[in-house]
Amino acid sequence: MVKTSSTSSTPKRQISKQLIKMVKKAAAASHAPYSHINVGAVLYAATGSMHAGTNIESSSYSLTMCAERTALFTALSMGIRDFQLLLVYSPQIAFIVPCGACLQVLSEFAPDLLIVTMNEHDEFKFLPIKTLLPTPFVFNRQPVR
Ligand code: ZN
């Protein structure tokens, strides 16, 4: 899904048209009557499967679900566990990145995930999850001394 070419001194990576189409379709399906920020996310798994999610807002606000976790939970519900890449897109916010809550949950299932964010011109930024959340919370069952 990520192609790297070395035709220039800077490696150039491209995202497949199918993944771009999916993330835009997911953003279009957004239910965001409060923020008016539509977000699409697509997780790409090692098996080649792709899992889309969108943000779904609730009138209670706190029960709102982000596109990234919607995509993750959809994939997990299908038994998918080995994720390589997450593409995120919002037509309202160029190069949107996942919130802290999503980064935490994503890092638990995919600590080496590559997050790709794009703008409306299909330009990309590639951000390893460890650069966005370098020290995620890890539950430790060790007793406190
Ligand atoms: Zn989030």
Side-chain angles (χ1 to χ4, degrees):
M1 204 49 46
V2 178
K3 298 175 184 171
T4 302
S5 69
S6 57
T7 54
S8 65
S9 59
T10 304
K12 183 177 181 181
R13 293 185 248 185
Q14 295 181 334
I15 298 298
S16 77
K17 290 188 183 340
Q18 184 181 6
L19 209 56
I20 295 168
K21 185 176 178 181
M22 279 185 76
V23 82
K24 288 183 176 180
K25 185 176 179 183
S30 167
H31 178 74
Y34 307 104
S35 73
H36 304 286
I37 297 171
N38 309 108
V39 184
V42 180
L43 265 171
Y44 180 75
T47 58
S49 62
M50 293 176 276
H51 308 273
T54 191
N55 58 325
I56 302 164
E57 295 180 350
S58 163
S59 60
S60 70
Y61 286 27
S62 64
L63 296 179
T64 293
M65 183 55 64
C66 299
E68 298 89 332
R69 277 179 287 157
T70 302
L72 177 63
F73 295 159
T74 298
L76 293 173
S77 299
M78 298 173 67
I80 308 297
R81 293 290 187 275
D82 190 4
F83 305 109
Q84 295 184 334
L85 180 150
L86 175 75
L87 177 63
V88 188
Y89 168 71
S90 171
Q92 289 84 26
I93 300 176
F95 302 115
I96 193 168
V97 293
C99 74
C102 286
L103 290 172
Q104 172 64 39
V105 179
L106 287 164
S107 73
E108 292 179 31
F109 288 94
D112 296 316
L113 188 68
L114 178 62
I115 294 175
V116 183
T117 180
M118 61 181 268
N119 65 9
E120 65 206 33
H121 306 296
D122 297 355
E123 297 167 330
F124 305 97
K125 290 185 180 178
F126 298 83
L127 305 163
I129 194 168
K130 287 178 181 172
T131 65
L132 296 174
L133 186 65
T135 312
F137 170 80
V138 177
F139 183 71
N140 188 344
R141 291 182 187 266
Q142 299 284 325
V144 178
R145 293 186 200 189

